[in-house]
Amino acid sequence: QVQLVESGGGLVQPGGSLRLACTTSGITFDWYTLTWYRQVPGEEREQVASIGRDGTSTSYLNSVKGRFVISRDNAKETVYLQMNSLKPEDTAVYLCRARFGAGDYWGQGTQVTVSS
């Protein structure tokens, strides 16, 4: 059974940092492209950052470039999202996605709230 479990969300003040983690099981992690998305109620799901199988190819949403860093640890089968200089507009549920071929899996998400 495939599982993706996000953790690390919470309440943080503007300018603060959080590190999200998405730990997987049931997949051959090394094969998968991993992507973080975020979802605000009433809005479309937004792709935040993605990392390729080799861990060196990354892409970011323009509004998070220079503030967020995506990384992966294949030994721990985990993908991370380091979020710095957080802004209120970063408030959302953050979800991870794993894709390879016909395999396409999502986690349940973790809430991030940026507020003073």
Side-chain angles (χ1 to χ4, degrees), residues 10-63:
L11 173 64
V12 63
Q13 292 188 342
S17 297
L18 284 174
R19 188 193 195 203
L20 305 184
C22 173
T23 300
T24 72
S25 60
I27 62 172
T28 305
F29 185 83
D30 299 19
W31 294 355
Y32 282 72
T33 295
L34 286 306
T35 305
W36 284 97
Y37 289 77
R38 62 189 183 189
Q39 177 83 63
V40 175
E43 298 184 12
E44 289 193 5
R45 190 168 289 183
E46 186 173 52
Q47 181 171 324
V48 176
S50 187
I51 187 166
R53 295 167 57 180
D54 61 2
T56 60
S57 57
T58 59
S59 63
Y60 295 92
L61 181 69
N62 281 341
S63 63

Side-chain angles (χ1 to χ4, degrees), residues 22-110:
C22 173
T23 300
T24 72
S25 60
I27 62 172
T28 305
F29 185 83
D30 299 19
W31 294 355
Y32 282 72
T33 295
L34 286 306
T35 305
W36 284 97
Y37 289 77
R38 62 189 183 189
Q39 177 83 63
V40 175
E43 298 184 12
E44 289 193 5
R45 190 168 289 183
E46 186 173 52
Q47 181 171 324
V48 176
S50 187
I51 187 166
R53 295 167 57 180
D54 61 2
T56 60
S57 57
T58 59
S59 63
Y60 295 92
L61 181 69
N62 281 341
S63 63
V64 308
K65 283 182 180 177
R67 300 189 297 122
F68 291 11
V69 178
I70 189 171
S71 62
R72 63 190 293 163
D73 185 333
N74 287 352
K76 295 183 178 179
E77 299 185 323
T78 299
V79 58
Y80 302 97
L81 186 67
Q82 178 67 43
M83 305 188 297
N84 302 320
S85 302
L86 282 160
K87 304 176 181 180
E89 51 264 43
D90 295 318
T91 295
V93 173
Y94 284 72
L95 308 99
C96 66
R97 181 184 189 186
R99 288 177 294 168
F100 173 72
D104 189 353
Y105 306 102
W106 289 84
Q108 293 297 308
T110 185

